């Protein structure tokens, strides 16, 4: 009997996307190697490392070392030179100060990530959104850091480099969980991981009105949830994983240990559901 080919789609979700690591650890436990990975936004960051051959356990260690301790995270940023805080900012007199996506990606990706998208050990696709064409753009080749930076470019917060003269924004805007590209690859089994979540109310129960940035991010989350739900109804993947990380906010990156702990139950879910096809 020929083994089934597994295709993996990793969705966007900002800090909640750290939950992807648990899914990757389940694949490693099963000794399953995806035939292809399509990823959007935060999924592109995690997926770039995994597709490059970096084991999930190493990705976890790197995430904890970079984000697990606020002081350690601050020291990593405050190293001077190109990695100083100011180097992450993109200044312009005509628009608000934004984070430079390419520099941010360079800061957080672990060593060993392929330099180019087409050089990964596992075929890897990155999704981004062409702002003026109002459509998804699929990146299959080119500079890896630029591709990932384009995919994580949150409007008004993170600026992406232009690719082929195009203004690009967050890939999750047009395709939050790009399992359709995995299906197009011809995989027998499509495993999709959705980590978008939804807006989180004030934890202190004081009814605080969200700020402008929080409202914008929350509205984007609602849109992404609706797009993902519609695509899932039209052509559902074989396995849909939705880690229980809704209680975390999009910018809760320093809560990496808590996010991983909250997502832990999906490890057994992935192993159980994927084992049916192996």
């Amino acid at each position: 009997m020929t083994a089934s080919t597994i295709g993996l789609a990793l969705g966007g979700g900002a800090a909640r996307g750290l939950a992807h690591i648990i899914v990757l650890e389940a694949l490693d436990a099963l000794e399953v190697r995806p035939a292809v990975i399509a990823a959007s936004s935060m999924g592109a960051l995690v997926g770039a490392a995994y597709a490059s051959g970096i084991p999930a356990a190493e990705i976890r260690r790197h995430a904890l070392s970079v984000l697990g301790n606020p002081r350690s995270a601050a020291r990593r940023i405050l190293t001077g030179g190109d990695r100083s805080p100011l180097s992450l900012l993109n200044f312009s007199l005509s628009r608000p100060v934004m984070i430079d996506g390419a520099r941010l990606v360079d800061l957080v990706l672990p060593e060993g990530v392929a330099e180019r998208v087409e050089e990964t050990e596992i075929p890897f696709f990155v999704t981004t959104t062409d702002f003026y064409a109002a459509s998804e753009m699929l990146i299959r080749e080119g500079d890896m850091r630029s591709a990932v930076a384009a995919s994580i470019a949150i409007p008004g917060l993170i600026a992406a480099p232009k690719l082929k003269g195009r203004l690009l924004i967050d890939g999750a805007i047009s395709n939050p969980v790009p399992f359709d590209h995995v299906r197009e690859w011809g995989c027998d089994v499509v495993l999709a991981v959705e980590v978008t979540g939804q807006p989180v109310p004030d934890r202190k129960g004081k009814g605080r009105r969200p700020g402008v940035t929080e409202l914008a991010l929350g509205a984007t989350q609602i849109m992404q949830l609706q797009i993902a739900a519609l695509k899932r109804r039209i052509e559902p993947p074989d396995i849909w994983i939705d880690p229980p990380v809704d209680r975390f906010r999009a910018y809760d990156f320093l809560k990496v240990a808590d996010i991983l702990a909250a997502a832990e139950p999906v490890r057994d879910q992935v192993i159980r559901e994927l084992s049916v096809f192996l």
Side-chain angles (χ1 to χ4, degrees), residues 117 124-128 137-143 146-148 150-151 163 168:
V117 176
F124 184 55
F125 303 152
V126 177
T127 69
T128 185
M137 175 177 167
L138 187 64
I139 303 176
R140 302 171 183 264
E141 59 184 15
D143 180 71
S146 295
V148 174
S151 193
L163 295 180
L168 304 174

Side-chain angles (χ1 to χ4, degrees), residues 4-10 36 38 177-193 235-241 273-274 277:
S4 298
T5 56
I6 310 298
L8 176 64
L10 301 177
V36 64
V177 192
F179 57 83
D180 49 331
H181 298 302
V182 174
R183 183 76 73 188
E184 291 166 1
W185 185 262
C187 294
D188 299 317
V189 181
V190 177
L191 167 60
V193 188
E235 188 178 7
D238 300 288
I239 302 174
W240 182 266
I241 303 296
E273 295 193 29
L274 199 51
F277 298 95

Side-chain angles (χ1 to χ4, degrees):
M1 180 178 178
T2 303
S4 298
T5 56
I6 310 298
L8 176 64
L10 301 177
R16 298 181 180 101
L18 292 164
H20 287 313
I21 295 172
I22 300 297
V23 176
L24 301 181
E25 288 178 339
L27 295 179
D28 284 353
L30 287 170
E31 297 184 347
V32 168
R33 180 185 174 94
V36 64
I37 300 174
S40 178
S41 199
M42 186 61 185
L45 260 176
V46 178
Y50 194 68
S52 296
I54 300 175
E58 179 56 34
I59 297 174
R60 173 193 279 263
R61 283 193 293 270
H62 180 74
L64 289 171
S65 69
V66 172
L67 303 170
N69 184 306
R71 292 183 179 179
S72 175
R75 282 197 301 271
R76 185 173 178 85
I77 293 175
L78 296 169
T79 52
D82 286 341
R83 290 191 173 185
S84 68
L86 291 180
S87 75
L88 289 176
L89 301 180
N90 193 335
F91 292 97
S92 172
L93 295 177
S94 62
R95 61 177 182 269
V97 175
M98 296 175 65
I99 297 172
D100 188 308
R103 292 182 183 272
L104 178 62
V105 169
D106 188 55
L107 177 68
V108 301
L109 279 181
E111 293 184 5
V113 173
E115 292 294 325
R116 296 182 61 81
V117 176
E118 69 270 24
E119 293 174 351
T120 53
E121 293 187 8
I122 299 171
F124 184 55
F125 303 152
V126 177
T127 69
T128 185
T129 303
D130 186 321
F131 183 75
Y132 288 115
S135 63
E136 178 187 11
M137 175 177 167
L138 187 64
I139 303 176
R140 302 171 183 264
E141 59 184 15
D143 180 71
M144 176 67 81
R145 282 159 178 78
S146 295
V148 174
S151 193
I152 67 168
I154 300 174
L157 184 61
I158 301 176
K162 281 191 174 182
L163 295 180
K164 299 180 180 179
R166 299 181 179 182
L167 176 61
L168 304 174
I169 60 173
D170 193 347
I173 294 291
S174 54
N175 198 346
V177 192
F179 57 83
D180 49 331
H181 298 302
V182 174
R183 183 76 73 188
E184 291 166 1
W185 185 262
C187 294
D188 299 317
V189 181
V190 177
L191 167 60
V193 188
E194 198 274 318
V195 289
T196 303
Q198 60 190 57
V200 179
D202 183 10
R203 294 190 181 99
K204 297 180 181 179
K206 296 181 179 179
R208 177 185 62 83
R209 181 178 174 82
V212 173
T213 300
E214 193 171 348
L215 279 171
L217 289 174
T220 300
Q221 286 176 299
I222 294 170
M223 178 191 69
Q224 291 169 359
L225 281 171
Q226 295 299 316
I227 293 173
L230 177 60
K231 289 169 66 69
R232 186 183 176 191
R233 284 198 297 271
I234 294 173
E235 188 178 7
D238 300 288
I239 302 174
W240 182 266
I241 303 296
D242 184 8
V245 290
D246 278 9
R247 64 186 175 91
F248 297 98
R249 296 177 186 272
Y251 45 78
D252 279 342
F253 287 97
L254 296 182
K255 296 182 179 181
V256 54
D258 294 332
I259 292 172
L260 292 174
E264 185 62 34
V266 304
R267 181 194 306 274
D268 289 341
Q269 180 187 354
V270 173
I271 291 174
R272 181 177 63 256
E273 295 193 29
L274 199 51
S275 294
V276 174
F277 298 95
L278 301 179

